[in-house]
Amino acid sequence: MASASAKPYCCSSLNPASSTPLARRASLSPFPAAKPRRFSYGLAAVAANPRAPRAAVRASLAAPRRPEYVPNRIDDPNYVRIFDTTLRDGEQSPGATMTSTEKLVVARQLARLGVDIIEAGFPASSPDDLDAVRSIAIEVGNTPVGEEGHVPVICGLSRCNKRDIDAAWEAVRHARKPRIHTFIATSEIHMQHKLRKTPEQVVAIAKEMVAYARSLGCPDVEFSPEDAGRSNREFLYHILEEVIQAGATTLNIPDTVGYTLPHEFGKLIADIKANTPGIENAIISTHCQNDLGLASANTLAGAYAGARQLEVTINGIGERAGNASLEEVVMAIKCRRELLDGLYTGINTQHITMSSKMVQEHSGLIVQPHKAIVGANAFAHESGIHQDGMLKFKGTYEIISPDDIGLTRSNEFGIVLGKLSGRHAVRTKLVELGYEINDKEFEDFFKRYKEVAEKKKRVTDEDIEALLSDEIFQPKVIWSLGDVQATCGTLGLSTATVKLIALDGEEKIGCSVGTGPVDAAYKAVDQIIQIPTILREYSMTSVTEGIDAIATTRVLITRDVSGDEHTTSGYSNRSFSGSGAAMDVVVSSVRAYLSALNKMSSFIGAINASSEAPETISVQSSE
C-alpha cells in the first residue's frame, strides 16, 4: 500500500479548462487514438536522474469549480454531472432494502461525496419510501456541504402516470433543487409485450406526463425511454424531440438490460446528439446496467460521445448484475482525463472509500475482494514480483494512490483506541471516519464500545464501524434483544433461551432446541415474534484477525406465505436484510436476525396502515 510520501500519479496533467479535443479513432470506436505523451507516474524524471528519490510525481491539477447548476444546460462543456441512484436502483437489489434512517445517512454521505443529483427513491412504491425521500429532500436537499457550499439536486422516480408523478413531487418539492424523473418503455419488445401500447400511444403518454410534471411547478424534469439500447433509432429521436418540447430538461438513455457494447452505446449517444431536434436545450444522460459486465465501459463511451450526466451507484449495486459503478467511472475520468477530452466531475474522491463502506453496511451487499477501486485486494500486493516492484517504486503496480480515494491504513496516523480511551477520543475517531451522530446515539454507542474495549487490547477502525452500524443505524426497533444463552456440543442437543423486549417494555422469553446454537436461538426468536419467515442467506465474517475479533453476521429473510391465502403478493417477493455485530457469534447472529425481522415488521405495519397497500407494495422499476 502506498504511503503518504510516495503517491503514484493517476491523472493527466491536462487542465480540463483549457483542453482541446484529440483526434478520434476511425470506424466505430468512441475513444481516440493514443498519441505520444509524457509518462503519468513521473518515471521520465527518474530515468533522467537515476539518483533522484524514487517518489511518484503528482502533477498539479487545479480542476475548475463546479459550474452553477442550471437544469437544462452546463456552462462548461467539459463538466460531467454525476447522478447517483444508489438509494433507488441500488436499493432494488434483492435484500438491499434500507430503512429510512439508513437512507438519510447514506444521502448525507453522497452529498459530502459531491454527487450532483441524488435519486433518493421511488416515492409511489410505498408510503415509507415517500417519507424517506421527503426527509432527504428536507434535510440533505437544503444543507450546503463542503467549502463550495454544494447542495445536491434531490430526485424522485416515477412511471409515466399522474399518481406516480404526484407522489414524486410531494416528496422532492421540499428540496432547494427538486427533480422528477419519469420513464416509459420505448423498445418494440417492451411496448408490445409489457405495455401493450402502440408507439403513437407511448409518445402521447410521455409528452403529456412530462408536461404534467412541469405544470406542478417542478423546473427540472428528467425523461427516460426505458430499454433505449434496443429501441428503434428514428422512434427514439421522435419521442425525445416531443418530450423536449413538453419541458424535459434531461434525457436519460438507459441500456436497461446491459445489452450494448461500448462502441454501440457510444454511437447511440452520438446519434441522438446529432439527430434529435432541440437536443441543445437538454442534457443527455446515461444509465447502463451491468448484465455483460460492461456498464462502466459503456458509461465512459457515452460520456466521450457527448453525454454530460452519468447515472451510477456506489459499489455498482442494483437490479440483477448491478449498475455502472460510481467509483470506477469517476476514477477512470480522473485518471484518463487527457484521453477523454478533458472531462471532469465535481466528486471529492477522498470520500469514496467511506461511501463504499457505508453502503456495504446499510445495504447488506458485500463488495467482492477483487472489486476495482474499493475491493479489499485493490491495493494489496502478494506476488513476489509485484512486491519487489512496489518496494522499488510504487508506480510500477499502482496507477492510483490509496490516498486518492480516502483509503489509509488503519491507525497509521490516527489515535489507537483501547479500554482507557475516553469520550473525546472516541468522538474524534468517529469524525475522522466520517460519521456524524447525535449525543444520545453517541452515548448508546459508547456503552457498546466500552464493553468491547474491556475484552480487546486494541479497538480498530473496522471494529468501530461494525459496532456503529449494529448500534445506531438499525431499523426502527420493534423488538430489541435482552439476553441470549445457548448451550451446544457433542453431549446433547443444542438449546437456546432468548429474552426479547417489546416496544412497550414487555419482556418475553422463548426457549428451543435446534441443530446448533444459532438454529436454536432463531427458533426461540420465532416463538416470540411469530412471523413465519424463510432464511434465504446467512453469512458471518470476522471484522479483524485474532481470536478476540468482532463477528459480523448478515442474513436475508423473506416472509413464508405458503400457508396464508390472504397475504398480499407483495410479501412473497420482498426480501429483508439484517446485520449484527458482537464478539459472541450467537449474539451476533441473533442481532442480525432481529434487524431483518424489525425491517419486515415495519414494512408489514406500513402496509396495514395504508389502504392502497396492495397496489403499491410490489412496484419495482426496471429502468
Side-chain angles (χ1 to χ4, degrees):
M1 185 174 291
S3 66
S5 62
K7 301 175 182 178
Y9 169 56
C10 77
C11 308
S12 75
S13 59
L14 179 65
N15 187 324
S18 60
S19 65
T20 57
L22 305 175
R24 299 177 185 247
R25 280 184 185 160
S27 74
L28 297 176
S29 174
F31 294 104
K35 71 172 188 177
R37 54 191 286 258
R38 293 173 297 185
F39 287 105
S40 293
Y41 313 129
L43 300 181
V46 175
N49 181 11
R51 296 180 180 273
R54 292 184 177 271
V57 179
R58 185 187 299 270
S60 175
L61 265 181
R65 289 178 62 86
R66 186 195 312 264
E68 182 180 355
Y69 184 79
V70 180
N72 67 335
R73 76 169 195 270
I74 302 175
D75 291 332
D76 186 342
N78 287 340
Y79 186 75
V80 179
R81 290 174 178 167
I82 298 298
F83 177 112
D84 185 275
T85 183
T86 301
L87 297 176
R88 199 278 299 170
D89 197 321
E91 200 211 7
Q92 289 176 199
S93 302
T97 305
M98 299 184 200
T99 66
S100 297
T101 301
E102 289 170 328
K103 276 195 161 190
L104 185 58
V105 170
V106 172
R108 291 193 195 111
Q109 180 63 22
L110 293 174
R112 294 188 198 102
L113 182 62
V115 302
D116 299 272
I117 302 100
I118 298 175
E119 188 166 54
F122 192 173
S125 65
S126 71
D128 184 64
D129 208 44
L130 190 151
D131 290 340
V133 177
R134 183 192 290 120
S135 296
I136 291 170
I138 292 171
E139 180 177 328
V140 181
N142 289 283
T143 305
V145 295
E147 294 180 0
E148 63 176 330
H150 172 58
V151 178
V153 174
I154 306 300
C155 177
L157 184 71
S158 70
R159 294 164 297 186
C160 273
N161 64 62
K162 289 186 177 181
R163 177 182 166 279
D164 275 26
I165 291 172
D166 286 340
W169 179 237
E170 169 55 32
V172 303
R173 66 184 178 84
H174 308 279
R176 186 182 300 183
K177 303 172 188 174
R179 177 186 289 191
I180 294 174
H181 179 191
T182 189
F183 71 95
I184 192 169
T186 56
S187 66
E188 183 177 348
I189 189 172
H190 276 236
M191 289 189 291
Q192 178 180 347
H193 297 288
K194 186 179 78 169
L195 299 181
R196 296 179 179 175
K197 295 184 183 298
T198 65
E200 292 75 19
Q201 289 174 314
V202 168
V203 171
I205 292 170
K207 186 173 182 179
E208 180 186 358
M209 289 302 102
V210 168
Y212 178 70
R214 288 298 301 264
S215 74
L216 296 176
C218 184
D220 195 359
V221 176
E222 177 172 337
F223 172 76
S224 290
E226 186 185 3
D227 203 20
R230 295 189 294 175
S231 297
N232 176 273
R233 292 290 172 86
E234 295 300 326
F235 180 60
L236 267 182
Y237 307 151
H238 175 57
I239 193 171
L240 293 176
E241 177 187 7
E242 293 294 320
V243 296
I244 291 172
Q245 292 178 358
T249 52
T250 298
L251 306 176
N252 182 47
I253 311 303
D255 182 23
T256 301
V257 293
Y259 180 71
T260 61
L261 300 179
H263 73 268
E264 289 181 298
F265 192 73
K267 192 170 189 308
L268 171 61
I269 297 298
D271 287 349
I272 288 172
K273 186 175 181 181
N275 295 289
T276 303
I279 196 66
E280 67 277 3
N281 298 316
I283 304 299
I284 301 177
S285 174
T286 68
H287 182 109
C288 299
Q289 299 290 141
N290 202 40
D291 296 70
L292 294 177
L294 296 171
S296 292
N298 284 341
T299 299
L300 292 169
Y304 189 81
R308 288 299 177 263
Q309 176 181 286
L310 308 178
E311 303 202 357
V312 291
T313 62
I314 301 295
N315 299 335
I317 65 174
E319 287 274 14
R320 302 185 312 279
N323 290 273
S325 165
L326 179 146
E327 58 275 7
E328 293 173 12
V329 170
V330 167
M331 292 308 295
I333 290 174
K334 183 174 182 181
C335 290
R336 306 310 306 276
R337 186 179 298 168
E338 187 172 330
L339 292 182
L340 291 171
D341 282 1
L343 299 181
Y344 71 103
T345 74
I347 295 297
N348 182 347
T349 61
Q350 293 285 318
H351 287 283
I352 283 178
T353 295
M354 176 53 60
S355 302
S356 173
K357 290 181 178 179
M358 188 175 289
V359 170
Q360 285 186 75
E361 288 294 331
H362 295 326
S363 70
L365 301 176
I366 306 304
V367 168
Q368 69 268 32
H370 56 277
K371 169 73 169 66
I373 312 299
V374 294
N377 294 346
F379 294 96
H381 304 272
E382 186 169 337
S383 162
I385 295 174
H386 285 220
Q387 290 176 350
D388 179 65
M390 287 292 295
L391 290 170
K392 291 175 179 175
F393 182 70
K394 291 180 173 61
T396 54
Y397 288 105
E398 283 187 353
I399 62 171
I400 65 176
S401 167
D403 291 353
D404 287 336
I405 61 168
L407 177 63
T408 57
R409 285 174 289 192
S410 181
N411 295 312
E412 184 171 359
F413 304 107
I415 300 168
V416 176
L417 297 180
K419 67 179 182 179
L420 299 180
S421 299
R423 285 175 170 78
H424 180 69
V426 175
R427 174 77 83 170
T428 300
K429 172 57 70 174
L430 292 180
V431 173
E432 179 185 319
L433 292 175
Y435 290 100
E436 296 179 7
I437 59 177
N438 61 40
D439 291 341
K440 183 182 184 308
E441 291 172 337
F442 176 76
E443 289 303 320
D444 293 338
F445 166 78
F446 189 72
K447 180 180 177 182
R448 286 286 304 280
Y449 164 80
K450 278 295 189 181
E451 292 173 357
V452 170
E454 287 291 336
K455 301 174 183 177
K456 295 195 68 174
K457 183 176 181 180
R458 189 180 74 175
V459 182
T460 68
D461 292 357
E462 290 80 7
D463 292 329
I464 288 174
E465 288 171 347
L467 288 175
L468 191 67
S469 176
D470 186 55
E471 183 64 37
I472 304 301
F473 304 129
Q474 286 291 336
K476 178 182 177 182
V477 177
I478 297 175
W479 293 96
S480 58
L481 178 61
D483 298 300
V484 57
Q485 182 170 343
T487 60
C488 63
T490 60
L491 300 179
L493 292 173
S494 295
T495 63
T497 302
V498 176
K499 179 197 290 184
L500 301 183
I501 304 172
L503 269 176
D504 58 5
E506 181 183 3
E507 297 180 352
K508 294 191 175 183
I509 297 175
C511 303
S512 186
V513 298
T515 56
V518 173
D519 181 51
Y522 281 15
K523 288 177 178 176
V525 170
D526 290 339
Q527 282 184 7
I528 300 171
I529 298 182
Q530 296 185 349
I531 297 178
T533 60
I534 298 174
L535 181 64
R536 299 292 184 186
E537 295 179 15
Y538 173 94
S539 64
M540 179 177 289
T541 57
S542 172
V543 174
T544 55
E545 60 184 24
I547 195 67
D548 60 352
I550 289 180
T552 294
T553 306
R554 288 182 172 83
V555 301
L556 183 69
I557 64 173
T558 57
R559 189 171 186 192
D560 185 359
V561 297
S562 57
D564 190 347
E565 299 178 356
H566 304 288
T567 302
T568 58
S569 60
Y571 289 144
S572 59
N573 58 20
R574 187 85 175 196
S575 300
F576 301 88
S577 64
S579 64
M583 294 180 70
D584 185 297
V585 295
V586 178
V587 175
S588 172
S589 299
V590 173
R591 286 185 180 277
Y593 193 45
L594 274 181
S595 173
L597 283 169
N598 278 330
K599 286 184 180 181
M600 181 181 285
S601 298
S602 297
F603 181 72
I604 293 172
I607 289 175
N608 293 337
S610 172
S611 60
E612 297 182 340
E615 300 177 11
T616 63
I617 58 175
S618 60
V619 172
Q620 292 288 323
S621 161
S622 59
E623 181 204 339

